[in-house]
Amino acid sequence: MASTPTRLAHHLFWRAGTGLTPKELEALSERPYEELVDGLFRASREFTPIRTTHVTTSDDGYSAMKGVEQFKYRKASREAQRRLNALWRQRLITTEGCLREKMALFWHGHFVAWSHWSNSTEQYLNVLREHALGDLGTLLKKVSRSSAMLGYLSNQRNRKDAPNENFARELMELFTLGRGQYSEQDIHEAARAFTGWGFKLDTAEFHFRENQHDFGEKTFRGKTGNFDGDDILDLLLADKQTAVFITRKMYRWFVCPEIPGASSGVEEAFAARMADRFFTSGYDIADLMRFVFSSEHFKDA
């Protein structure tokens, strides 16, 4: 099948967005492909938060509620979350600015989190959307501090006298290195570094509980120091395996679901180029995606 202008426009906007209407496809097919790619990034340059109204209370306030009151509070929170879903769904199906939303959807599947509380859900959604095309280091640190992630992976209960390893394990297995690239000792030492990281229920803001943090020396993946959570994240980003693991997921999401594919190894080679570019650029997400969409490999019929 030939790579006609219509097919290329259709292909690009299915991968970088959620498709085109017939009228949009007809109009965009008349423009050079490079112009379409530039337009995607230009239209996604600006970030506008998604907002709705919430019911909020403090930790003590929620604990003091009677059972019926807690039920009503959770119900109101679920209703607010449904509003957020509807608002984001509308952004996702809109062509203008679609690349930011599609990239945020990718990160939504990569950084798995969930919350009972709608203000935490809103915060998490906007973190993904704001930093979707920025640099991975900033995104990773913002996500790690989000109340949705801290609550979902139990770091709210991570204390120096009883380290909770849930977040540390998923951080390495799902978010950075991938399975088999770390030890149980690494999980334990990383968990110690993240002790005291929590959030406030009423504001959903990050809260460092200094009295619950383990300030002792830790040995993580062969390096020793008085590491805190940010140090662990920096060490994971310094390992090229993080770039390899994440770009292979990006390849399967945006380019082709199979790696390796053809017997020639073209898919494997392109995925390796993606990892090299991502790592050497300092994890510049927009730069990587422009490289992907502009490549002959992506355009190949």
Side-chain angles (χ1 to χ4, degrees):
M1 179 173 59
S3 295
T4 65
T6 298
R7 194 203 73 83
L8 280 174
H10 188 62
H11 179 68
L12 176 64
F13 278 85
W14 265 124
R15 302 303 175 89
T18 54
L20 296 168
T21 66
K23 284 187 177 181
E24 287 173 332
L25 179 59
E26 183 180 3
L28 292 174
S29 296
E30 298 176 357
R31 295 164 58 184
Y33 181 81
E34 294 75 14
E35 188 178 316
L36 297 183
V37 173
D38 287 341
L40 278 169
F41 286 90
R42 186 169 55 251
S44 291
R45 191 174 296 152
E46 299 299 322
F47 163 72
T48 304
I50 290 174
R51 303 289 191 204
T52 191
T53 55
H54 307 277
V55 292
T56 58
T57 187
S58 65
D59 298 87
D60 291 340
Y62 182 77
S63 298
M65 291 180 186
K66 295 180 180 179
V68 173
E69 293 173 318
Q70 289 185 344
F71 174 80
K72 290 180 178 179
Y73 184 87
R74 292 194 301 271
K75 182 180 179 181
S77 187
R78 288 194 300 271
E79 290 170 351
Q81 288 176 327
R82 283 192 286 270
R83 291 196 297 273
L84 288 168
N85 286 342
L87 289 166
W88 192 28
R89 185 167 61 245
Q90 189 58 45
R91 300 285 184 95
L92 283 163
I93 64 174
T94 302
T95 304
E96 185 72 15
C98 63
L99 177 57
R100 176 178 294 279
E101 308 305 332
K102 188 63 174 285
M103 200 73 232
L105 187 62
F106 169 80
W107 293 122
H108 185 276
H110 179 73
F111 294 112
V112 183
W114 179 84
S115 177
H116 282 291
W117 318 122
S118 60
N119 58 342
S120 291
T121 301
E122 180 183 278
Q123 178 201 64
Y124 179 65
L125 171 59
N126 284 317
V127 164
L128 297 180
R129 294 179 60 252
E130 181 178 5
H131 302 285
L133 289 164
D135 70 273
L136 178 66
T138 299
L139 175 61
L140 180 62
K141 289 181 179 181
K142 293 286 186 179
V143 165
S144 298
R145 282 175 163 78
S146 70
S147 52
M149 182 65 75
L150 292 167
Y152 181 63
L153 291 181
S154 311
N155 213 81
Q156 184 82 329
R157 300 196 297 270
N158 189 9
R159 300 175 174 85
K160 62 183 179 182
D161 56 345
N164 187 299
E165 299 180 354
N166 200 15
F167 173 68
R169 183 182 300 276
E170 305 300 0
L171 170 66
M172 286 181 275
E173 180 175 331
L174 299 180
F175 306 155
T176 54
L177 302 173
R179 187 173 297 176
Q181 301 294 329
Y182 54 88
S183 68
E184 289 296 317
Q185 179 68 14
D186 292 330
I187 294 170
H188 178 73
E189 296 294 271
R192 291 177 56 213
F194 285 105
T195 51
W197 281 38
F199 66 95
K200 294 184 177 181
L201 182 62
D202 54 345
T203 63
E205 294 302 319
F206 175 78
H207 176 57
F208 178 61
R209 299 159 296 170
E210 187 173 355
N211 64 328
Q212 294 295 344
H213 180 66
D214 184 340
F215 286 94
E217 191 174 79
K218 306 159 188 81
T219 299
F220 177 73
R221 306 188 77 229
K223 294 182 173 57
T224 300
N226 184 15
F227 299 140
D228 61 16
D230 280 333
D231 295 322
I232 297 299
L233 296 175
D234 287 335
L235 288 169
L236 292 171
L237 290 165
D239 190 327
K240 189 181 176 182
Q241 175 58 29
T242 293
V244 171
F245 177 69
I246 294 177
T247 52
R248 289 176 79 86
K249 291 183 71 173
M250 287 176 161
Y251 184 96
R252 289 191 292 269
W253 178 269
F254 289 102
V255 185
C256 180
E258 298 296 331
I259 310 178
S263 58
S264 64
V266 173
E267 289 86 349
E268 189 70 45
F270 188 79
R273 289 173 63 197
M274 286 176 63
D276 288 342
R277 189 175 187 105
F278 201 33
F279 187 70
T280 57
S281 73
Y283 294 99
D284 186 327
I285 302 165
D287 173 79
L288 175 67
M289 297 316 299
R290 184 180 287 275
F291 166 74
V292 170
F293 295 144
S294 300
S295 69
E296 294 304 313
H297 184 70
F298 177 80
K299 292 185 283 183
D300 190 282

